[in-house]
Amino acid sequence: MTPYDASPAQGQPGLIDGFGRTVTYLRVSVTDRCDLRCVYCMAEHMTFLPKAEVLTLEELDRIASAFVRLGVKKLRITGGEPLVRKGVMGLFEGLSRHLQSGALSELTLTTNGTRLTEFAGRLADAGVKRINVSLDTLKPDLFRRLTRGGDLAKVVAGIEAAQAAGLKVKINAVALKDDNAEELPDLIRWAHGRGCDMTLIETMPMGEVEADRTDQYLSLKDVRRELESYWTLSDIPLSTGGPARYVEVAETGGRLGFITPLSHNFCEACNRVRLTCTGTLHTCLGQEDATDLRAVLRAGASDEDLIEAIRLGVDAKPKGHDFKIARAAAPAVARHMSTTGG
Ligand code: SAM
Ligand code: SF4
């Protein structure tokens, strides 16, 4: 692969959208496939994309590097499950050149953790410092049911391998009313006890899954109220430009984040955009806006054409989302989280 040069960043003005927000954070989905089938994320029988529709690793590198050239400082690789994509380590190793040049501040990953025992060392060698691991329960049977077949022990071993390789691990859990609501304090204690920050996420209405989302939805306002009845939570000013709001839990000494897209609107400070594994740029998680960067690339675009297409896409970033969870309502957007990249 010829490494695409992102160095002349100085000459390029940053990526600023039509509402004056500067985009500095890109999430890149590298595959729609996954070795798990979480009930809130995927249908049991998913039809995955034909290979030709998915960007090659070279195309992913080229687009991500164009964003870096335009001032993006943080890249998060996600999916589907990024670590099931063949050759994905080569992508990390290639992109790490932007860390070395100083153009990029952070290269990171969101993973379900099943393959971390295999890849943690190489991730650390590529300059990855922190990763997010999704984990909704510590009960092996419930884990198997929520992921439709997953093995909890593999994920726990993966987390341990990541920490042993020097990676800082944050645990993400989706709050599910019937399934893990009561276990959340234990999960938080467990994560904090291992030196991991923890973030709770409300379910978002994305893509058709079999379950009724109103039955799964649990307001994090209620979770917070409950936790505050026996723990001391103090707000900490840790803003990532994203939807998470953080507190410190005095009793565990760890940090806890709440991602509440439904009960709290966070769009004014949004600094992020997403690239799907098919090369579609989505500038808002909750809207259908889209720019087809794959078509631009495959039409033989020069770097300047690609940059122009990215600028036009970002310029049209919507002001905000309008997620609602109403009984029997259609999903706000038809695509699954695994396609957009969580
Ligand atoms: N496979 C990786 C993982 O699970 O971490 C990365 C992709 S996954 C789509 C990213 C995150 O999105 C996970 O933390 C997952 O729990 C979350 N997620 C998936 N579907 C969701 C939904 N409908 N609402 C809220 N979070 C969701
Ligand atoms: Fe796979 Fe992640 Fe979706 Fe679970 S949340 S099915 S691990 S992509």
Side-chain angles (χ1 to χ4, degrees), residues 34 40-41 78-82 110-112 132-134 136 172 174 201-206 213 337-338 341-342:
C34 187
Y40 46 77
C41 178
T78 180
E81 173 47 42
T110 299
T111 175
N112 64 26
N132 289 353
V133 178
S134 304
D136 304 328
N172 283 345
V174 175
I201 310 172
E202 279 176 351
T203 50
M204 291 180 247
M206 298 191 66
R213 283 181 212 277
M337 186 73 103
S338 52

Side-chain angles (χ1 to χ4, degrees), residues 144-201:
R144 199 171 303 114
R145 180 162 66 74
L146 287 178
T147 59
R148 298 196 185 95
D151 177 2
L152 175 68
K154 263 198 200 167
V155 176
V156 174
I159 292 170
E160 285 167 357
Q163 290 185 307
L167 300 174
K168 186 116 182 77
V169 176
K170 179 158 79 71
I171 306 289
N172 283 345
V174 175
L176 301 162
K177 191 169 76 182
D178 296 328
D179 292 319
N180 68 1
E182 289 182 4
E183 195 195 340
L184 291 176
D186 289 340
L187 195 54
I188 296 165
R189 228 181 267 114
W190 181 87
H192 289 176
R194 296 175 163 239
C196 301
D197 288 344
M198 165 115 212
T199 300
L200 302 177
I201 310 172

Side-chain angles (χ1 to χ4, degrees), residues 35 81-93 109 111-129 131 154 157-167:
D35 52 346
E81 173 47 42
L83 298 184
V84 305
R85 172 84 196 247
K86 214 167 147 204
V88 74
M89 280 303 126
L91 180 68
F92 278 98
E93 285 152 6
L109 160 79
T111 175
N112 64 26
T114 59
R115 302 209 167 176
L116 278 173
T117 44
E118 197 179 329
F119 293 123
R122 279 179 79 182
L123 286 167
D125 290 346
V128 174
K129 301 245 179 292
I131 61 172
K154 263 198 200 167
I159 292 170
E160 285 167 357
Q163 290 185 307
L167 300 174

